[in-house]
Amino acid sequence: MTILVTGATGLVGRHVVDQLVQAGESVRALTRNPAKAGLPEGVEVVQGDLLQPASLGPALDGVEKLFLFPQPETAAEVVDLAKQAGVRRIVVLSGAAVTLGFDTDYHARVERAVEESGLEWTHVRPGEFMTNMLPIWGPMIKESRTVRYPFGDDLGGAPIHEADIAEVAVVALLEDKHVGQAYTLSGPEQLTVRGQVEAIADALGEEVRYEEVSREEAREILKGMGGFAAESADLLLGFVDYDGGAGSGDEGYSDQDYSELMKPLPGFGLATGKPGRTYAEWARDHVEDFR
């Protein structure tokens, strides 16, 4: 049995590949650039692009199960090709915003395409990734050992380790009991921004200061950083809704209620039967990214 992992070099996909290899499975990994994949020995790396479904023929040949990275533009066509090729089970990397009803046309569109195919399916819906703040706080910590960000002592969220997201996907690929389930995922603990910064400092074994700034100041900082920080600033800081619309709540905040995702949720435990990785573990796993 061959399992195809799409998005195989991404934050979650790379862990899915690693964990399937560790489980002794036959893994085929889809990537746009096989030469730069850097995946484990024994993985069959094939070239292809979900946004170009015609490129997927060789990748799908002989595949029984598929881990599907979300590309809503071509999801229906990709799923149809998978079905024609003999794929019987698809595990979708989705998002918790679907559970809340905020996402109706991105991850949700991929989920619908898979469900309408008649194939076996499981949806993996993570909320905030622990890694989300790495491209923002990482450069700050490297440069000055100081994180400048708002919300320092607010109740905080329960972000999840990317390896835990992958673990749910892997059990869904390998075990029949997860068919037809949608798992909304969080980490095992609720942590303030200040608490997250302290965990990074502990992992480094060095002082990392936290400096409270306003949302407006943080927006200027993130926009000035460019890349992911600039692109994500308005959403992360609550200036816009999930779909990019301007916040209409008090003080210009988005009025979408994410409170259900700010506390530990049972999805990871329900899927795996064990507790998830802590933020302290994540910080230790990524310590070199902050040096």
Side-chain angles (χ1 to χ4, degrees), residues 70 72 92-98 103-112 242:
V92 178
L93 178 59
S94 187
V98 178
D103 179 342
T104 59
D105 198 44
Y106 193 85
H107 295 98
R109 197 185 339 169
V110 181
E111 289 190 8
R112 286 194 297 271
Y242 182 85

Side-chain angles (χ1 to χ4, degrees), residues 43-278:
V43 173
E44 181 189 358
V45 181
V46 295
Q47 186 172 22
D49 188 340
L50 289 174
L51 292 175
Q52 298 177 20
S55 72
L56 302 180
L60 288 166
D61 185 35
V63 168
E64 186 176 352
K65 298 177 182 179
L66 169 64
F67 174 72
L68 184 60
F69 183 85
Q71 290 288 6
E73 301 94 329
T74 56
E77 189 175 354
V78 169
V79 170
D80 186 56
L81 288 170
K83 185 175 182 177
Q84 291 178 40
V87 172
R88 68 176 178 86
R89 178 177 302 173
I90 299 180
V91 174
V92 178
L93 178 59
S94 187
V98 178
T99 303
L100 295 180
F102 299 154
D103 179 342
T104 59
D105 198 44
Y106 193 85
H107 295 98
R109 197 185 339 169
V110 181
E111 289 190 8
R112 286 194 297 271
V114 173
E115 291 181 22
E116 290 169 2
S117 72
L119 299 175
E120 298 175 353
W121 59 265
T122 306
H123 304 321
V124 181
R125 297 176 177 173
E128 180 186 1
F129 289 27
M130 293 176 183
T131 300
N132 282 357
M133 300 311 295
L134 183 56
I136 298 172
W137 294 350
M140 294 181 185
I141 292 171
K142 285 182 177 181
E143 181 179 342
S144 65
R145 290 295 189 260
T146 301
V147 170
R148 303 182 68 221
Y149 204 74
F151 317 128
D153 294 309
D154 290 358
L155 192 55
I160 185 168
H161 197 304
E162 60 273 16
D164 282 350
I165 302 168
E167 190 162 341
V168 174
V170 167
V171 298
L173 287 164
L174 300 182
E175 300 174 4
D176 294 343
K177 65 182 179 180
H178 305 288
V179 171
Q181 300 296 315
Y183 293 109
T184 305
L185 307 179
S186 77
E189 57 189 343
Q190 196 163 15
L191 273 180
T192 64
V193 167
R194 191 183 299 276
Q196 293 176 42
V197 174
E198 289 173 353
I200 294 168
D202 287 344
L204 279 169
E206 301 178 29
E207 180 183 10
V208 178
R209 295 177 56 246
Y210 171 71
E211 181 180 329
E212 180 88 21
V213 297
S214 69
R215 282 198 310 148
E216 290 72 21
E217 288 175 292
R219 188 188 211 177
E220 290 185 14
I221 292 169
L222 269 59
K223 293 289 187 182
M225 293 173 70
F228 173 83
E231 295 166 4
S232 306
D234 286 348
L235 180 61
L236 289 172
L237 297 169
F239 287 102
V240 299
D241 294 335
Y242 182 85
D243 61 3
S248 57
D250 294 341
E251 300 180 1
Y253 275 97
S254 166
D255 58 3
Q256 290 180 327
D257 183 5
Y258 288 88
S259 60
E260 283 303 304
L261 301 183
M262 303 298 282
K263 56 190 178 182
L265 300 172
F268 179 80
L270 289 172
T272 67
K274 61 183 184 181
R277 295 167 175 86
T278 65

